[in-house]
Amino acid sequence: MEKSIKEIISLTKRKGFVYPSSLIYGGFSSSYDFGPRGVLLKKNLKEEWWNEMTRNRDDVFGLDASIIMNPKTWEASGHLSKGFADKLSECKKCHKRFKDLENDQKCPECKGELTPPREFNLMMKTFIGPVEDDAAVTYLRAETCQGIFVNFKNVMNSMRADLPFGIAQIGKSFRNEITPGNFIFRMREFEQMEMQWFCKKEDADNFFEFWLDKRLKWYEGLGIDMKKLRKVEVGEEERAHYAKRQVDIEYLFPFGWGEIEGIHNRGDWDLKTHSDHSGEDFSIEGEFPWVIETSVGVERSLLAFLVDSYTRLDDGRDESSDRKETVLKIDRRLAPTKVAVFPLLKNKKELVDKAKEVFSEIKKEFDAVYDETGSIGKRYRRQDEVGTPFCITIDFDTIEDNTVTVRERDTMNQMRVEIENLGKKIKEFMNNGDFVS
Ligand code: GAP
């Protein structure tokens, strides 16, 4: 059976991954809040990206630039001109705006007359200071990388870096999208994980292939079904205004293929335009470095991982017949909680005390939860639904021999582990993937 986005939205709301924003006031179009499990999943996803793109490399440096920048940045980058605008027609009667309408069409809502299409810029405007005049206008950043470009020289000098090297950043971006939608796929406020790789012009094509391959392997390594991932070479007409070459990485969502990441050859566009506009010379030995960019949305990739791991018995991915529930078969590194601890019975003090003792130890090392309500089977199902890879049960044998049962989410295999080795064992299971003693 096909996974429906409705089921996934329902699970994420019920289980504290994603809530519609300001729901008590009727919600707010395309704004979402991340609940207790969502925030952990997001943190883990960002950590995996950060490890891959920065921490495990000695040629990529981290940055956290500000969201509100000098508006001259956006003049220089081209975001305030045509390159970053949608063409919209406005209904003269109901004043709603529409994208991609055919000539002579009437308003799809009220059949009123439409204005000819006009440019509508996607930058989110705001004012700095108390006076809301033109001089105070500024913008929330529409892509994190402009903070990277303006800091190119700062980072290069303070880290004594030579070409080629990269700068990586995770942070919020804002776009006044005309048609947000598809849950957290297209929003007006979202997070990006971007890496700008600065290199010599003659090396740019090779590095493009290198980073594209690396990014695809990252998804594969985190367990994405590669049949649901594809790369799309974007033609000149559709490319962003700065891109000399663009390959989109798309995932097959229940609502169709959707871009989750873009790999761009930005040429020397950014460093050159910022040099021209600011007077700061970003060239090296008379040449501007070229930039290969990898740019992924946190929420979009998170949605891809959620959809991909959402498994039901009747969707054909789970062969075990005694399983009737939903299992979030998400990579252990991404799972919001790694361990759940249960006493077999909640009315046996010695079991509860021991379980709480085990819980307080294990949560020092892993995100963990404690649950004592309902049958053990029910408690397993509760954890399966939110992707917890390991459940630990404290039973009467535990009191005798200080061992517990550890049960693994996907195989449902169980094994006895000594309490004193529990942390070490879970770490091993987390790292090497195999659930063997
Ligand atoms: N610096 C290059 C850049 O921003 P982009 O293709 O416009 O390129 C990169 O955006 C990624 O950011 C997209 O692949 C997507 O994952 C994410 N993204 C862009 N707009 C978004 C939106 N409105 N909501 C959620 N994610 C978005």
Side-chain angles (χ1 to χ4, degrees):
M1 200 180 160
E2 277 301 306
K3 299 175 193 188
S4 88
I5 195 73
K6 271 196 183 142
E7 276 173 61
I8 291 163
I9 295 174
S10 154
L11 173 90
T12 59
K13 183 166 176 237
R14 232 174 342 105
K15 294 292 176 184
F17 286 88
V18 183
Y19 308 123
S21 163
S22 351
L23 204 52
I24 60 166
Y25 294 109
F28 195 60
S29 165
S30 94
S31 289
Y32 291 92
D33 300 335
F34 285 79
R37 292 199 174 92
V39 79
L40 288 172
L41 173 55
K42 220 178 182 193
K43 176 177 87 58
N44 296 340
L45 180 63
K46 289 194 267 187
E47 195 170 304
E48 285 306 315
W49 184 89
W50 188 261
N51 285 346
E52 168 88 2
M53 301 301 286
T54 309
R55 187 163 176 251
N56 298 343
R57 304 189 61 93
D58 50 19
D59 51 8
V60 180
F61 308 100
L63 186 77
D64 185 12
S66 68
I67 288 173
I68 301 172
M69 304 174 71
N70 187 320
K72 286 181 186 157
T73 310
W74 305 106
E75 270 167 40
S77 70
H79 282 82
L80 293 182
S81 56
K82 282 189 181 159
F84 200 60
D86 274 338
K87 280 204 158 170
L88 295 183
S89 305
E90 186 171 326
C91 172
K92 290 182 181 168
K93 205 162 131 202
C94 71
H95 297 289
K96 287 204 171 128
R97 289 169 174 173
F98 303 93
K99 199 163 112 171
D100 304 327
L101 293 183
E102 284 170 20
N103 284 346
D104 304 331
Q105 201 175 322
K106 296 276 181 221
C107 170
E109 298 270 322
C110 74
K111 306 284 173 245
E113 200 187 329
L114 295 167
T115 64
R118 277 197 300 251
E119 301 277 348
F120 179 85
N121 194 277
L122 298 183
M123 295 290 294
M124 280 262 199
K125 231 183 220 175
T126 187
F127 299 94
I128 291 291
V131 185
E132 296 191 1
D133 62 10
D134 285 353
V137 168
T138 187
Y139 304 88
L140 305 186
R141 67 182 174 200
E143 53 175 7
T144 52
C145 59
Q146 294 304 326
I148 288 181
F149 296 130
V150 300
N151 279 294
F152 165 70
K153 229 175 177 179
N154 287 340
V155 175
M156 186 170 76
N157 290 343
S158 31
M159 304 317 284
R160 296 158 31 97
D162 284 325
L163 295 185
F165 72 93
I167 305 179
Q169 175 170 218
I170 302 177
K172 290 253 179 174
S173 289
F174 301 80
R175 293 181 193 180
N176 214 350
E177 297 280 1
I178 314 303
T179 46
N182 279 332
F183 190 37
I184 56 173
F185 182 81
R186 190 182 307 282
M187 299 185 293
R188 297 199 170 98
E189 172 182 345
F190 55 96
E191 251 182 305
Q192 289 185 311
M193 305 188 278
E194 294 200 304
M195 194 278 305
Q196 277 29 70
W197 180 256
F198 300 93
C199 63
K200 292 194 171 143
K201 179 181 175 184
E202 56 269 31
D203 299 329
D205 289 344
N206 282 344
F207 279 126
F208 190 101
E209 296 300 333
F210 170 83
W211 285 110
L212 173 59
D213 182 57
K214 208 152 175 55
R215 295 304 303 142
L216 287 166
K217 291 211 169 98
W218 184 75
Y219 292 100
E220 190 172 18
L222 286 171
I224 281 259
D225 179 355
M226 292 305 273
K227 291 194 288 303
K228 298 230 166 96
L229 213 63
R230 70 177 187 190
K231 37 182 187 167
V232 176
E233 187 81 46
V234 180
E236 200 176 341
E237 288 289 286
E238 290 161 77
R239 282 204 290 266
H241 60 277
Y242 48 73
K244 290 198 155 35
R245 186 182 169 200
Q246 175 174 346
V247 171
D248 288 346
I249 300 177
E250 296 188 346
Y251 179 77
L252 184 54
F253 290 99
F255 45 80
W257 289 99
E259 174 202 331
I260 54 176
E261 174 155 359
I263 314 297
H264 308 132
N265 179 345
R266 297 180 72 123
D268 59 3
W269 159 262
D270 302 275
L271 292 185
K272 197 162 178 310
T273 191
H274 285 304
S275 285
D276 289 348
H277 282 77
S278 69
E280 178 78 39
D281 184 8
F282 281 156
S283 67
I284 298 175
E285 292 165 8
E287 304 261 317
F288 286 100
W290 275 39
V291 173
I292 305 300
E293 156 180 84
T294 71
S295 175
V296 49
V298 173
E299 294 84 357
R300 277 199 198 173
S301 52
L302 186 147
L303 184 60
F305 282 111
L306 270 179
V307 168
D308 206 62
S309 56
Y310 180 88
T311 311
R312 283 197 332 236
L313 179 69
D314 56 0
D315 72 5
R317 280 186 66 183
D318 195 327
E319 289 106 40
S320 53
S321 57
D322 58 341
R323 235 174 176 196
K324 299 263 182 283
E325 82 277 26
T326 302
V327 186
L328 205 60
K329 293 191 168 187
I330 197 154
D331 187 279
R332 291 168 188 173
R333 289 162 291 180
L334 298 181
T337 38
K338 313 299 183 199
V339 183
V341 180
F342 315 144
L344 183 64
L345 299 167
K346 75 168 176 186
N347 54 4
K348 291 282 177 228
K349 188 173 180 315
E350 66 268 39
L351 298 184
V352 169
D353 287 351
K354 196 76 192 164
K356 286 191 172 160
E357 196 184 306
V358 169
F359 175 58
S360 71
E361 275 307 304
I362 205 82
K363 75 178 194 186
K364 287 180 190 159
E365 273 187 273
F366 302 97
D367 283 306
V369 288
Y370 173 84
D371 186 6
E372 58 179 24
T373 52
S375 68
I376 287 289
K378 263 209 182 111
R379 284 182 256 171
Y380 281 154
R381 280 197 287 281
R382 238 175 250 149
Q383 295 307 320
D384 288 346
E385 217 181 354
V386 297
T388 309
F390 304 106
C391 292
I392 297 171
T393 304
I394 281 77
D395 56 22
F396 292 105
D397 287 345
T398 310
I399 310 299
E400 299 294 310
D401 64 5
N402 263 319
T403 63
V404 294
T405 300
V406 180
R407 179 258 201 192
E408 197 271 337
R409 178 193 68 200
D410 298 343
T411 57
M412 297 188 293
N413 287 343
Q414 303 192 355
M415 83 173 60
R416 292 299 285 190
V417 174
E418 288 170 353
I419 290 178
E420 62 171 4
N421 291 331
L422 204 49
K424 196 172 125 239
K425 270 286 179 205
I426 300 282
K427 201 174 271 166
E428 272 173 33
F429 299 150
M430 286 291 302
N431 289 339
N432 67 19
D434 292 334
F435 188 67
V436 285
S437 48

